[in-house]
Amino acid sequence: MAKVLKDLKYTESHEWVKVEGGKARIGITDYAQHAMGDIVYVELPEEGAEFSTGSDLCVVESVKGANDVYAPVSGTVVEVNSGLEDSPELLNEDAYANWIVVLEMSDTSELDNLLDGEAYEKLCDSLETKEGA
């Protein structure tokens, strides 16, 4: 069973968002890191890069292949977790403690389109049920 933190927002593509004022701290979920397997590389975006909701934010490579991470909200990159360049496996160790980027949000109303913890947990449960069948 994947770990879900109730105080975060989520996407159906398994990114999490922690809202910090007008900023969004973004990472991949516990479900995502389990599905990817051992993470071996994270291609971080440049600070100052702008993204719109749903666009490719970065790439996380695992032993199973490359996985796109999508921007859950629109905004400009104000911080990247450069520690992931040398230690990408941190995402496997704790997907919620190890964020990928921080965006300065350009439209906070986009947060309304994200899933809350309960809805994301239901999504994961339904996916796990399908996989186990």
Side-chain angles (χ1 to χ4, degrees), residues 19-52:
V19 179
E20 299 172 338
K23 295 181 179 157
R25 188 170 299 271
I26 299 164
I28 60 170
T29 64
D30 189 53
Y31 182 92
Q33 70 85 15
H34 275 294
M36 288 179 194
D38 292 339
I39 295 171
V40 295
Y41 179 73
V42 180
E43 183 182 318
L44 296 167
E46 296 289 322
E47 285 188 25
E50 293 184 21
F51 294 92
S52 56

Side-chain angles (χ1 to χ4, degrees), residues 103-115:
L103 293 182
E104 181 76 49
M105 291 183 281
S106 53
D107 183 358
T108 55
S109 72
E110 292 174 344
L111 294 167
D112 297 339
N113 300 326
L114 300 177
L115 303 172

Side-chain angles (χ1 to χ4, degrees), residues 7-27:
D7 60 335
L8 301 177
K9 296 279 196 177
Y10 297 90
T11 67
E12 290 185 6
S13 54
H14 308 289
E15 291 86 15
W16 60 261
V17 176
K18 182 176 184 182
V19 179
E20 299 172 338
K23 295 181 179 157
R25 188 170 299 271
I26 299 164

Side-chain angles (χ1 to χ4, degrees), residues 73-87:
V73 292
S74 301
T76 303
V77 176
V78 292
E79 196 176 347
V80 296
N81 186 351
S82 56
L84 295 176
E85 291 175 332
D86 292 328
S87 302

